[in-house]
Amino acid sequence: MIGLSLVIASFFLNEGAGMATIIVGVLAVFGAAALVGLTNGTLVRFGNFTSVAATLGVYIIIQGISVLLRPYPDGAISATVMDTIKATIGSIPVVFIVALVLAIILEVGLRYSRWGMSLRAVGSNEKAAAHIGVRTGWTVVGAFIAGSLLTALGGMMVVAQLGIGDPNQGIEYTLGSIAAVVLGGASLFGGRGSFIGVLLGAVLIQEVNSSMVFLGLSQAWQYWFIGLLTLIAVAVYSQARSASIERP
């Protein structure tokens, strides 16, 4: 989705593009993301696909579409657009502040809104959630759409960093995004998670990668450390889950 966001943006957010064209381009990026999320959610909830099978299949299709639209990196992004996205307040990037505020808002919604309670209920026990009146089908589909829209938002950040439509961008984020979620305390079994925790997990991964560069270690060490941290996190949370289930 990040690669597709880059590709779509590269057709609209070019040097000399008017405000109307830029707006259309941004809407096209998020429209495509919503469609991807809707497709994934529909396959999972109404097509009886597993989440892994649905998202993996759609992932391959998206990659094919991106390569079809941009067989090779092309379509330079406007410097004005890039500078706007990379704006800072002092030494702090505005996009980091936006991400932090968004994470807080989503965290509050997850804990105290009907949407958040429905999402956690479906993740914990879908049958029980249905019995208390939760619209489980649309809750699942909505979660996939929200995930895709947030990914497209991340794609816009990559647009500012890369500055060109490259269909192969974003592939390397796949495992890292899973690691951030696990390190952030989300359960792979569903029903438990935190937007703030995932944000902190992503920061931890970035700090580890930066430390490896600072220490002069090879890129292999980045994979080893992140993989080791992910395994430890899964082991700890799985043990905690087993203990809570066995507790009378």
Side-chain angles (χ1 to χ4, degrees):
M1 189 63 244
I2 289 178
L4 182 60
S5 298
L6 276 167
V7 168
I8 294 174
S10 70
F11 286 100
F12 295 92
L13 278 59
N14 311 115
E15 202 69 53
M19 182 56 65
T21 302
I22 293 175
I23 292 175
V24 170
V26 173
L27 291 176
V29 169
F30 286 97
L35 180 59
V36 169
L38 178 62
T39 302
N40 281 329
T42 301
L43 289 173
V44 171
R45 188 61 186 87
F46 303 108
N48 294 323
F49 283 71
T50 63
S51 297
V52 173
T55 53
L56 180 60
V58 174
Y59 160 87
I60 296 172
I61 292 172
I62 292 174
Q63 184 64 21
I65 293 173
S66 298
V67 173
L68 177 65
L69 294 174
R70 288 289 190 198
Y72 51 87
D74 196 7
I77 305 298
S78 167
T80 302
V81 172
M82 294 173 60
D83 291 340
T84 301
I85 297 176
K86 293 190 293 185
T88 61
I89 297 178
S91 59
I92 303 176
V94 172
V95 293
F96 178 77
I97 298 175
V98 172
L100 180 60
V101 172
L102 184 59
I104 293 173
I105 293 173
L106 290 172
E107 184 72 22
V108 172
L110 184 66
R111 300 299 173 187
Y112 302 107
S113 71
R114 181 179 178 82
W115 161 77
M117 288 186 285
S118 297
L119 194 63
R120 288 187 286 123
V122 172
S124 297
N125 191 319
E126 184 174 340
K127 291 184 178 179
H131 287 160
I132 62 174
V134 176
R135 300 178 64 184
T136 58
W138 288 112
T139 298
V140 172
V141 174
F144 275 99
I145 292 175
S148 289
L149 291 174
L150 291 172
T151 303
L153 186 61
M156 295 303 295
M157 305 305 104
V158 179
V159 165
Q161 292 180 337
L162 194 64
I164 194 170
D166 186 350
N168 296 313
Q169 287 299 313
I171 296 176
E172 68 274 13
Y173 294 120
T174 303
L175 296 180
S177 63
I178 297 173
V181 170
V182 173
L183 292 174
S187 171
L188 297 179
F189 300 99
R192 188 192 70 219
S194 165
F195 286 100
I196 296 295
V198 172
L199 179 63
L200 294 176
V203 172
L204 174 61
I205 290 175
Q206 184 58 46
E207 288 300 315
V208 169
N209 290 338
S210 298
S211 298
M212 296 301 100
V213 175
F214 178 77
L215 294 173
L217 299 177
S218 67
Q219 189 176 14
W221 283 93
Q222 297 180 11
Y223 293 107
W224 293 339
F225 269 89
I226 298 302
L228 181 61
L229 287 174
T230 302
L231 290 175
I232 292 174
V234 170
V236 170
Y237 295 139
S238 296
Q239 186 64 33
R241 181 175 184 272
S242 298
S244 64
I245 293 175
E246 295 173 359
R247 190 179 299 121

